[in-house]
Amino acid sequence: MTGMTSERRAIGLEAVKMRKVFGGLVALDDVSLKVPAGTFHALLGENGAGKSTLVKCIMGFYKPDGGQVLVDGRQSAIANPREAAEAGIGMVYQHFTLVPSLTGAENLVVSRPRGSQIIDWKTEHAALEEFLARMPFRAPLDKPVHMLSAGEKQKLEILKQLFLDQRFIILDEPTSVLTPDEADEVLGLLRGMTKRGDVTVLMITHKFREVQAFADDLTVLRKGGYAGSGKVSETSIDAMAKMMIGDTQIRERAARVAHKDAPVTLDIAGVCADADDGRAAVDGINLKIHAGEIVGIAGVSGNGQSALVEVLSGQRPMREGQLTIKGADFLPSRQSMAKYKVFGLPEEPLKNAAVPNMTVAENIAFRTFDQPPIAKLGWWLSAGPMRKRAQELIARYRVKTPSADAPIAALSGGNVQRAVLARELSSEVDVLIVANPCFGLDFASVEEIRAQIMDQRNRGAAVLLVSEDLDEILSLSDRVAVMSEGKIAYVEEIGKTDRATIGHHMAGHGH
Amino acid sequence: MTDIARSASAASQSVFDSDWMIRVRRGSEALAIPIAALLVSALLFSIFLLALGKSPAQFYQLIWLGGFGTGFSWSNTLLRAAPVMLTALAVAIPARLGLTMIGGEGALVLGGFTAAAIAIPMIGGGAPIVMHVLMFAGALAVGAAWVGIAGALRQFRGVNETISTLLLSYIAIAIMNFFVEGALRDPADPNKPSTKALESVEMIGKLPGIDVHWGLVFAIVACVAVYVLMFRTTFGFACKIAGGNARAALAQGLPVGRLVIVATLIAGACAGMAGYFEIAAVHGKANASLASGYGFTGILVAFLARQHPLAIMPVAILFGGIAAAGGIIQRRMGLPDATVLLLQGLTFVVLLASETFYGRLTLFNPKARTDRT
């Protein structure tokens, strides 16, 4: 029941000359950050810039090697996350930390650091109702969390911090799991709360659009050091980008090459598939993708897009329907994938495309290990050619790894995806199945990956792009399709539609 | 995760973190941690002995004497090591696919029983070679099927493979007892219920110059063959992908279900082979002493060997030696025969606890850190 009735207000926080050294590596080099009470502050930076390290030092996950944290102007020694919570500082992580099998209410109640041994649900429910009445937004509290949408979960995560009476909330890329509308809603609500002086927000992000729309101030880190700060209203996107990437070269995307009367490469006809719980996840999808075309599939997460990708990549059985590639029947077996040159860039590559504890070289060999020169006589594996090819691709795709023999789990997210990209796109590609390829990646990696996808399209590959990032779909696709409840709700040429129309169909209000 | 990329690029500039050094460091980690676990469990067991008023020094000296001190004890040790190598393979092969299967005992018992049952009509028939070929094939086939059942249950019905293999072992022992005490009992045998025994001339002979049967050679060949299969072939590589991440394996078009079935069949065949040699070279007949715990020792050996087929050989010999010393320890120190089982159990617990140290010791992982987000 702690603090539910207290009237704590937003608190300010200042980090002064924070320093953190790991082994011989300076991860955080005398970085300072000032977030006045009741402001919305964006913390920008590339992967590895030190944003997470800084935030973890503030939260007490790490013991900084230098510097101090001032909470409301007073020096505070925060030794662990529990002390951070007592000081009123809470964090919402990039990935959900709710217990999926518990309801929203149960999650809130068990999250209290010093809950009593016996829970009186009647009192708790009444208190929760009273708490929600004071909040500017709601989330369903009576349903198990695994039944909630990503947006609802994210709102619940934020509600949890408010319920714990945290008045300085750190958000680590909070919108990477949300649709644009959900993101705008959640950030808008937080923006309102900062304006009223209820909370202070520090948000780690990559998305300039969100910084411009919601933040007051920003601080940029680069390579472990301070790279700049300022008021959002006085900083252009170009200036932010320059601070973030310094003199790093960002890859230019090739122009869209026009293909005239291209033949159909991938024909998805009447495809149905079941979800793990037996309900229909994909319900009669028909889609033709031409050579040299990117078809983007938009949709609110959980409307069958992932299941469709799983069917196409062999991870989920197809109950009904037919797949044809260039007129020939296709089933996602290893032989047919090689024959019809079908490749994929799945979301969360460590989960879907790589084996974390195998080496980078081994992971890069997944497509080629059973072909010469790596396979001799069809079954003998030779490590030499495997490593040689991996080293070539690591150089060509600029994968940052200490060695081809390092486990791929030791790499940053962007570099894991680059390694997968190297594996999937380094030979001839006719069909490319892409799902949220840039999920949680930094600026340079995102541009690199999008440029590679465009290159494949221009070379004549048929590309199916499933993405929860509408900007990604709008900038890459030739045609857009919207999936809703396992069906295609809408298909249109990209030039003849707009964000609002697509958004309406995503929300199921197409007609 | 964010800092790792930068530490990675920093690391690439250091001579000490060259590809070669990284491999050496990871290799020595896989060696040092199990050895340390062995020493710790020996230390804990010493405390137990002291509590009983016995001398640990005498105990370990007797293990040396009973297991490795004389030519006779070496024979005894290798005799026990051979079936353990094979049952350890029955654990290590599925482990490569991410499966924890502990059904070696059942496959050994049922394989051995099958061999003994096949032999019954042919005993004294004058065609021992035909008889042995059929016994060998039958033992391997039944052993393979027994573990394969658990593999199929796991792959197609989602049944936990650890539980099913454990329970299938008890079913296997019960099946053997059912026949040995019933339909297949040899009425001429005055002792405990058994199948009809092979005649002594029909038994598999000893290796030249040593009092150990040919099963040892087969076990060593099997270890090397499984090493080649799992580490040097495309099949083994596909198994490693499927074991590390089944979703990624499916997305690469790999037939995960088929890999699981084939690997569990091979695993079961190894344990079945151990059963064959127990019948054909040691007991000559199937009875309750066929279920003597080699399958369970194999689990410990496979874990201590980090599921590596080549490492299984020395570890199996070590535990063969400890088991061989059981008798002398009983006689000289007045400790029950089961004392060595206690040592085995203790080792297993310490070993499982030691798993937490992998990747966390800076000695072996120059940039070992815990900031992975």
Side-chain angles (χ1 to χ4, degrees), chain B residues 292-319:
Chain B
S292 58
Y294 287 139
F296 296 118
T297 306
I299 303 167
L300 172 59
V301 168
F303 274 76
L304 197 56
R306 303 281 302 150
Q307 320 286 7
H308 195 293
L310 296 182
I312 280 175
M313 292 187 281
V315 179
I317 291 172
L318 175 66
F319 278 86

PDB file of all heavy atoms in Angstrom, chain B residues 292-319:
ATOM      1  N   SER B 292      22.603 -53.192 -13.706  1.00  0.00           N
ATOM      2  CA  SER B 292      23.553 -52.958 -12.614  1.00  0.00           C
ATOM      3  C   SER B 292      23.951 -51.493 -12.503  1.00  0.00           C
ATOM      4  O   SER B 292      24.885 -51.164 -11.794  1.00  0.00           O
ATOM      5  CB  SER B 292      24.782 -53.824 -12.831  1.00  0.00           C
ATOM      6  OG  SER B 292      25.342 -53.509 -14.090  1.00  0.00           O
ATOM      7  N   GLY B 293      23.266 -50.625 -13.218  1.00  0.00           N
ATOM      8  CA  GLY B 293      23.520 -49.198 -13.028  1.00  0.00           C
ATOM      9  C   GLY B 293      24.500 -48.578 -14.011  1.00  0.00           C
ATOM     10  O   GLY B 293      24.831 -47.409 -13.895  1.00  0.00           O
ATOM     11  N   TYR B 294      24.982 -49.336 -15.020  1.00  0.00           N
ATOM     12  CA  TYR B 294      25.883 -48.747 -16.011  1.00  0.00           C
ATOM     13  C   TYR B 294      25.211 -47.578 -16.731  1.00  0.00           C
ATOM     14  O   TYR B 294      25.850 -46.592 -17.084  1.00  0.00           O
ATOM     15  CB  TYR B 294      26.312 -49.792 -17.048  1.00  0.00           C
ATOM     16  CG  TYR B 294      27.299 -50.813 -16.531  1.00  0.00           C
ATOM     17  CD1 TYR B 294      27.169 -52.148 -16.872  1.00  0.00           C
ATOM     18  CD2 TYR B 294      28.355 -50.417 -15.732  1.00  0.00           C
ATOM     19  CE1 TYR B 294      28.085 -53.093 -16.408  1.00  0.00           C
ATOM     20  CE2 TYR B 294      29.264 -51.359 -15.255  1.00  0.00           C
ATOM     21  CZ  TYR B 294      29.121 -52.688 -15.594  1.00  0.00           C
ATOM     22  OH  TYR B 294      30.018 -53.599 -15.134  1.00  0.00           O
ATOM     23  N   GLY B 295      23.920 -47.712 -16.955  1.00  0.00           N
ATOM     24  CA  GLY B 295      23.200 -46.643 -17.648  1.00  0.00           C
ATOM     25  C   GLY B 295      23.222 -45.352 -16.850  1.00  0.00           C
ATOM     26  O   GLY B 295      23.374 -44.268 -17.411  1.00  0.00           O
ATOM     27  N   PHE B 296      23.114 -45.490 -15.538  1.00  0.00           N
ATOM     28  CA  PHE B 296      23.080 -44.279 -14.713  1.00  0.00           C
ATOM     29  C   PHE B 296      24.482 -43.696 -14.544  1.00  0.00           C
ATOM     30  O   PHE B 296      24.660 -42.485 -14.563  1.00  0.00           O
ATOM     31  CB  PHE B 296      22.408 -44.589 -13.377  1.00  0.00           C
ATOM     32  CG  PHE B 296      20.968 -44.989 -13.550  1.00  0.00           C
ATOM     33  CD1 PHE B 296      20.504 -46.237 -13.178  1.00  0.00           C
ATOM     34  CD2 PHE B 296      20.076 -44.102 -14.159  1.00  0.00           C
ATOM     35  CE1 PHE B 296      19.175 -46.594 -13.377  1.00  0.00           C
ATOM     36  CE2 PHE B 296      18.752 -44.457 -14.364  1.00  0.00           C
ATOM     37  CZ  PHE B 296      18.297 -45.710 -13.979  1.00  0.00           C
ATOM     38  N   THR B 297      25.487 -44.558 -14.421  1.00  0.00           N
ATOM     39  CA  THR B 297      26.858 -44.046 -14.377  1.00  0.00           C
ATOM     40  C   THR B 297      27.176 -43.304 -15.683  1.00  0.00           C
ATOM     41  O   THR B 297      27.887 -42.298 -15.679  1.00  0.00           O
ATOM     42  CB  THR B 297      27.852 -45.202 -14.168  1.00  0.00           C
ATOM     43  OG1 THR B 297      27.450 -45.934 -13.006  1.00  0.00           O
ATOM     44  CG2 THR B 297      29.260 -44.689 -13.968  1.00  0.00           C
ATOM     45  N   GLY B 298      26.613 -43.812 -16.779  1.00  0.00           N
ATOM     46  CA  GLY B 298      26.844 -43.178 -18.073  1.00  0.00           C
ATOM     47  C   GLY B 298      26.374 -41.723 -18.096  1.00  0.00           C
ATOM     48  O   GLY B 298      26.982 -40.878 -18.747  1.00  0.00           O
ATOM     49  N   ILE B 299      25.301 -41.437 -17.372  1.00  0.00           N
ATOM     50  CA  ILE B 299      24.809 -40.058 -17.322  1.00  0.00           C
ATOM     51  C   ILE B 299      25.871 -39.160 -16.698  1.00  0.00           C
ATOM     52  O   ILE B 299      26.234 -38.109 -17.242  1.00  0.00           O
ATOM     53  CB  ILE B 299      23.514 -39.975 -16.482  1.00  0.00           C
ATOM     54  CG1 ILE B 299      22.445 -40.911 -17.042  1.00  0.00           C
ATOM     55  CG2 ILE B 299      22.995 -38.546 -16.431  1.00  0.00           C
ATOM     56  CD1 ILE B 299      21.263 -41.113 -16.088  1.00  0.00           C
ATOM     57  N   LEU B 300      26.393 -39.621 -15.561  1.00  0.00           N
ATOM     58  CA  LEU B 300      27.420 -38.848 -14.859  1.00  0.00           C
ATOM     59  C   LEU B 300      28.648 -38.657 -15.747  1.00  0.00           C
ATOM     60  O   LEU B 300      29.196 -37.557 -15.855  1.00  0.00           O
ATOM     61  CB  LEU B 300      27.781 -39.582 -13.567  1.00  0.00           C
ATOM     62  CG  LEU B 300      28.969 -39.059 -12.772  1.00  0.00           C
ATOM     63  CD1 LEU B 300      28.747 -37.611 -12.369  1.00  0.00           C
ATOM     64  CD2 LEU B 300      29.188 -39.909 -11.536  1.00  0.00           C
ATOM     65  N   VAL B 301      29.056 -39.744 -16.400  1.00  0.00           N
ATOM     66  CA  VAL B 301      30.256 -39.678 -17.244  1.00  0.00           C
ATOM     67  C   VAL B 301      30.046 -38.696 -18.399  1.00  0.00           C
ATOM     68  O   VAL B 301      30.907 -37.871 -18.693  1.00  0.00           O
ATOM     69  CB  VAL B 301      30.605 -41.087 -17.775  1.00  0.00           C
ATOM     70  CG1 VAL B 301      31.640 -41.017 -18.880  1.00  0.00           C
ATOM     71  CG2 VAL B 301      31.108 -41.949 -16.620  1.00  0.00           C
ATOM     72  N   ALA B 302      28.872 -38.746 -19.012  1.00  0.00           N
ATOM     73  CA  ALA B 302      28.607 -37.845 -20.141  1.00  0.00           C
ATOM     74  C   ALA B 302      28.644 -36.390 -19.684  1.00  0.00           C
ATOM     75  O   ALA B 302      29.207 -35.527 -20.359  1.00  0.00           O
ATOM     76  CB  ALA B 302      27.252 -38.172 -20.766  1.00  0.00           C
ATOM     77  N   PHE B 303      28.073 -36.103 -18.527  1.00  0.00           N
ATOM     78  CA  PHE B 303      28.076 -34.717 -18.047  1.00  0.00           C
ATOM     79  C   PHE B 303      29.486 -34.264 -17.693  1.00  0.00           C
ATOM     80  O   PHE B 303      29.884 -33.145 -18.010  1.00  0.00           O
ATOM     81  CB  PHE B 303      27.143 -34.566 -16.835  1.00  0.00           C
ATOM     82  CG  PHE B 303      25.724 -34.298 -17.219  1.00  0.00           C
ATOM     83  CD1 PHE B 303      24.910 -35.319 -17.710  1.00  0.00           C
ATOM     84  CD2 PHE B 303      25.186 -33.029 -17.121  1.00  0.00           C
ATOM     85  CE1 PHE B 303      23.610 -35.075 -18.077  1.00  0.00           C
ATOM     86  CE2 PHE B 303      23.875 -32.780 -17.493  1.00  0.00           C
ATOM     87  CZ  PHE B 303      23.086 -33.799 -17.970  1.00  0.00           C
ATOM     88  N   LEU B 304      30.243 -35.152 -17.023  1.00  0.00           N
ATOM     89  CA  LEU B 304      31.601 -34.784 -16.641  1.00  0.00           C
ATOM     90  C   LEU B 304      32.460 -34.574 -17.886  1.00  0.00           C
ATOM     91  O   LEU B 304      33.351 -33.733 -17.905  1.00  0.00           O
ATOM     92  CB  LEU B 304      32.189 -35.887 -15.758  1.00  0.00           C
ATOM     93  CG  LEU B 304      33.415 -35.521 -14.934  1.00  0.00           C
ATOM     94  CD1 LEU B 304      33.129 -34.320 -14.040  1.00  0.00           C
ATOM     95  CD2 LEU B 304      33.839 -36.690 -14.063  1.00  0.00           C
ATOM     96  N   ALA B 305      32.162 -35.311 -18.942  1.00  0.00           N
ATOM     97  CA  ALA B 305      32.919 -35.188 -20.188  1.00  0.00           C
ATOM     98  C   ALA B 305      32.386 -34.037 -21.043  1.00  0.00           C
ATOM     99  O   ALA B 305      32.801 -33.883 -22.182  1.00  0.00           O
ATOM    100  CB  ALA B 305      32.855 -36.491 -20.975  1.00  0.00           C
ATOM    101  N   ARG B 306      31.500 -33.239 -20.508  1.00  0.00           N
ATOM    102  CA  ARG B 306      30.900 -32.112 -21.238  1.00  0.00           C
ATOM    103  C   ARG B 306      30.255 -32.611 -22.529  1.00  0.00           C
ATOM    104  O   ARG B 306      30.258 -31.928 -23.531  1.00  0.00           O
ATOM    105  CB  ARG B 306      31.938 -31.039 -21.584  1.00  0.00           C
ATOM    106  CG  ARG B 306      32.680 -30.480 -20.400  1.00  0.00           C
ATOM    107  CD  ARG B 306      31.908 -29.449 -19.611  1.00  0.00           C
ATOM    108  NE  ARG B 306      31.499 -28.320 -20.409  1.00  0.00           N
ATOM    109  CZ  ARG B 306      30.413 -27.609 -20.178  1.00  0.00           C
ATOM    110  NH1 ARG B 306      29.615 -27.929 -19.183  1.00  0.00           N
ATOM    111  NH2 ARG B 306      30.104 -26.575 -20.925  1.00  0.00           N
ATOM    112  N   GLN B 307      29.717 -33.798 -22.514  1.00  0.00           N
ATOM    113  CA  GLN B 307      29.015 -34.401 -23.652  1.00  0.00           C
ATOM    114  C   GLN B 307      29.918 -34.555 -24.866  1.00  0.00           C
ATOM    115  O   GLN B 307      29.448 -34.583 -25.995  1.00  0.00           O
ATOM    116  CB  GLN B 307      27.765 -33.579 -24.040  1.00  0.00           C
ATOM    117  CG  GLN B 307      26.965 -33.042 -22.885  1.00  0.00           C
ATOM    118  CD  GLN B 307      26.153 -34.111 -22.157  1.00  0.00           C
ATOM    119  OE1 GLN B 307      26.284 -35.294 -22.446  1.00  0.00           O
ATOM    120  NE2 GLN B 307      25.331 -33.686 -21.226  1.00  0.00           N
ATOM    121  N   HIS B 308      31.220 -34.618 -24.622  1.00  0.00           N
ATOM    122  CA  HIS B 308      32.156 -34.764 -25.736  1.00  0.00           C
ATOM    123  C   HIS B 308      32.553 -36.237 -25.877  1.00  0.00           C
ATOM    124  O   HIS B 308      33.099 -36.831 -24.949  1.00  0.00           O
ATOM    125  CB  HIS B 308      33.395 -33.904 -25.485  1.00  0.00           C
ATOM    126  CG  HIS B 308      34.216 -33.707 -26.714  1.00  0.00           C
ATOM    127  ND1 HIS B 308      34.879 -34.745 -27.324  1.00  0.00           N
ATOM    128  CD2 HIS B 308      34.468 -32.614 -27.467  1.00  0.00           C
ATOM    129  CE1 HIS B 308      35.514 -34.294 -28.391  1.00  0.00           C
ATOM    130  NE2 HIS B 308      35.273 -32.995 -28.502  1.00  0.00           N
ATOM    131  N   PRO B 309      32.316 -36.823 -27.067  1.00  0.00           N
ATOM    132  CA  PRO B 309      32.528 -38.270 -27.227  1.00  0.00           C
ATOM    133  C   PRO B 309      33.952 -38.710 -26.921  1.00  0.00           C
ATOM    134  O   PRO B 309      34.154 -39.812 -26.400  1.00  0.00           O
ATOM    135  CB  PRO B 309      32.199 -38.523 -28.698  1.00  0.00           C
ATOM    136  CG  PRO B 309      31.367 -37.370 -29.122  1.00  0.00           C
ATOM    137  CD  PRO B 309      31.759 -36.204 -28.287  1.00  0.00           C
ATOM    138  N   LEU B 310      34.956 -37.870 -27.225  1.00  0.00           N
ATOM    139  CA  LEU B 310      36.330 -38.297 -26.966  1.00  0.00           C
ATOM    140  C   LEU B 310      36.651 -38.201 -25.481  1.00  0.00           C
ATOM    141  O   LEU B 310      37.346 -39.046 -24.927  1.00  0.00           O
ATOM    142  CB  LEU B 310      37.314 -37.450 -27.776  1.00  0.00           C
ATOM    143  CG  LEU B 310      37.184 -37.593 -29.293  1.00  0.00           C
ATOM    144  CD1 LEU B 310      38.231 -36.741 -29.998  1.00  0.00           C
ATOM    145  CD2 LEU B 310      37.306 -39.044 -29.733  1.00  0.00           C
ATOM    146  N   ALA B 311      36.123 -37.172 -24.819  1.00  0.00           N
ATOM    147  CA  ALA B 311      36.377 -37.015 -23.383  1.00  0.00           C
ATOM    148  C   ALA B 311      35.677 -38.107 -22.583  1.00  0.00           C
ATOM    149  O   ALA B 311      36.087 -38.434 -21.470  1.00  0.00           O
ATOM    150  CB  ALA B 311      35.917 -35.636 -22.920  1.00  0.00           C
ATOM    151  N   ILE B 312      34.634 -38.689 -23.171  1.00  0.00           N
ATOM    152  CA  ILE B 312      33.912 -39.755 -22.474  1.00  0.00           C
ATOM    153  C   ILE B 312      34.838 -40.922 -22.148  1.00  0.00           C
ATOM    154  O   ILE B 312      34.738 -41.529 -21.085  1.00  0.00           O
ATOM    155  CB  ILE B 312      32.704 -40.216 -23.339  1.00  0.00           C
ATOM    156  CG1 ILE B 312      31.553 -39.232 -23.155  1.00  0.00           C
ATOM    157  CG2 ILE B 312      32.274 -41.634 -22.979  1.00  0.00           C
ATOM    158  CD1 ILE B 312      30.365 -39.512 -24.048  1.00  0.00           C
ATOM    159  N   MET B 313      35.803 -41.197 -23.043  1.00  0.00           N
ATOM    160  CA  MET B 313      36.656 -42.387 -22.843  1.00  0.00           C
ATOM    161  C   MET B 313      37.456 -42.308 -21.539  1.00  0.00           C
ATOM    162  O   MET B 313      37.321 -43.197 -20.693  1.00  0.00           O
ATOM    163  CB  MET B 313      37.544 -42.601 -24.062  1.00  0.00           C
ATOM    164  CG  MET B 313      36.720 -43.016 -25.295  1.00  0.00           C
ATOM    165  SD  MET B 313      37.738 -43.479 -26.701  1.00  0.00           S
ATOM    166  CE  MET B 313      38.186 -41.868 -27.310  1.00  0.00           C
ATOM    167  N   PRO B 314      38.283 -41.268 -21.334  1.00  0.00           N
ATOM    168  CA  PRO B 314      39.026 -41.239 -20.063  1.00  0.00           C
ATOM    169  C   PRO B 314      38.112 -41.144 -18.838  1.00  0.00           C
ATOM    170  O   PRO B 314      38.413 -41.746 -17.803  1.00  0.00           O
ATOM    171  CB  PRO B 314      39.903 -39.985 -20.198  1.00  0.00           C
ATOM    172  CG  PRO B 314      39.309 -39.186 -21.289  1.00  0.00           C
ATOM    173  CD  PRO B 314      38.659 -40.162 -22.216  1.00  0.00           C
ATOM    174  N   VAL B 315      37.017 -40.394 -18.950  1.00  0.00           N
ATOM    175  CA  VAL B 315      36.141 -40.244 -17.784  1.00  0.00           C
ATOM    176  C   VAL B 315      35.495 -41.589 -17.442  1.00  0.00           C
ATOM    177  O   VAL B 315      35.375 -41.951 -16.272  1.00  0.00           O
ATOM    178  CB  VAL B 315      35.073 -39.154 -18.036  1.00  0.00           C
ATOM    179  CG1 VAL B 315      34.169 -39.042 -16.825  1.00  0.00           C
ATOM    180  CG2 VAL B 315      35.712 -37.816 -18.334  1.00  0.00           C
ATOM    181  N   ALA B 316      35.107 -42.349 -18.477  1.00  0.00           N
ATOM    182  CA  ALA B 316      34.513 -43.661 -18.230  1.00  0.00           C
ATOM    183  C   ALA B 316      35.527 -44.582 -17.550  1.00  0.00           C
ATOM    184  O   ALA B 316      35.178 -45.355 -16.655  1.00  0.00           O
ATOM    185  CB  ALA B 316      34.029 -44.278 -19.540  1.00  0.00           C
ATOM    186  N   ILE B 317      36.786 -44.460 -17.961  1.00  0.00           N
ATOM    187  CA  ILE B 317      37.823 -45.292 -17.333  1.00  0.00           C
ATOM    188  C   ILE B 317      37.993 -44.896 -15.867  1.00  0.00           C
ATOM    189  O   ILE B 317      38.101 -45.750 -14.984  1.00  0.00           O
ATOM    190  CB  ILE B 317      39.149 -45.168 -18.120  1.00  0.00           C
ATOM    191  CG1 ILE B 317      38.980 -45.855 -19.493  1.00  0.00           C
ATOM    192  CG2 ILE B 317      40.309 -45.794 -17.353  1.00  0.00           C
ATOM    193  CD1 ILE B 317      40.122 -45.646 -20.452  1.00  0.00           C
ATOM    194  N   LEU B 318      37.975 -43.584 -15.601  1.00  0.00           N
ATOM    195  CA  LEU B 318      38.087 -43.131 -14.214  1.00  0.00           C
ATOM    196  C   LEU B 318      36.973 -43.725 -13.355  1.00  0.00           C
ATOM    197  O   LEU B 318      37.219 -44.270 -12.272  1.00  0.00           O
ATOM    198  CB  LEU B 318      38.031 -41.597 -14.178  1.00  0.00           C
ATOM    199  CG  LEU B 318      38.026 -40.975 -12.786  1.00  0.00           C
ATOM    200  CD1 LEU B 318      39.348 -41.237 -12.085  1.00  0.00           C
ATOM    201  CD2 LEU B 318      37.765 -39.481 -12.862  1.00  0.00           C
ATOM    202  N   PHE B 319      35.731 -43.642 -13.864  1.00  0.00           N
ATOM    203  CA  PHE B 319      34.616 -44.143 -13.058  1.00  0.00           C
ATOM    204  C   PHE B 319      34.568 -45.670 -13.047  1.00  0.00           C
ATOM    205  O   PHE B 319      34.121 -46.264 -12.071  1.00  0.00           O
ATOM    206  CB  PHE B 319      33.304 -43.522 -13.510  1.00  0.00           C
ATOM    207  CG  PHE B 319      33.116 -42.166 -12.903  1.00  0.00           C
ATOM    208  CD1 PHE B 319      33.654 -41.041 -13.506  1.00  0.00           C
ATOM    209  CD2 PHE B 319      32.458 -42.019 -11.693  1.00  0.00           C
ATOM    210  CE1 PHE B 319      33.536 -39.800 -12.930  1.00  0.00           C
ATOM    211  CE2 PHE B 319      32.344 -40.780 -11.110  1.00  0.00           C
ATOM    212  CZ  PHE B 319      32.874 -39.661 -11.729  1.00  0.00           C
TER     213      PHE B 319
END
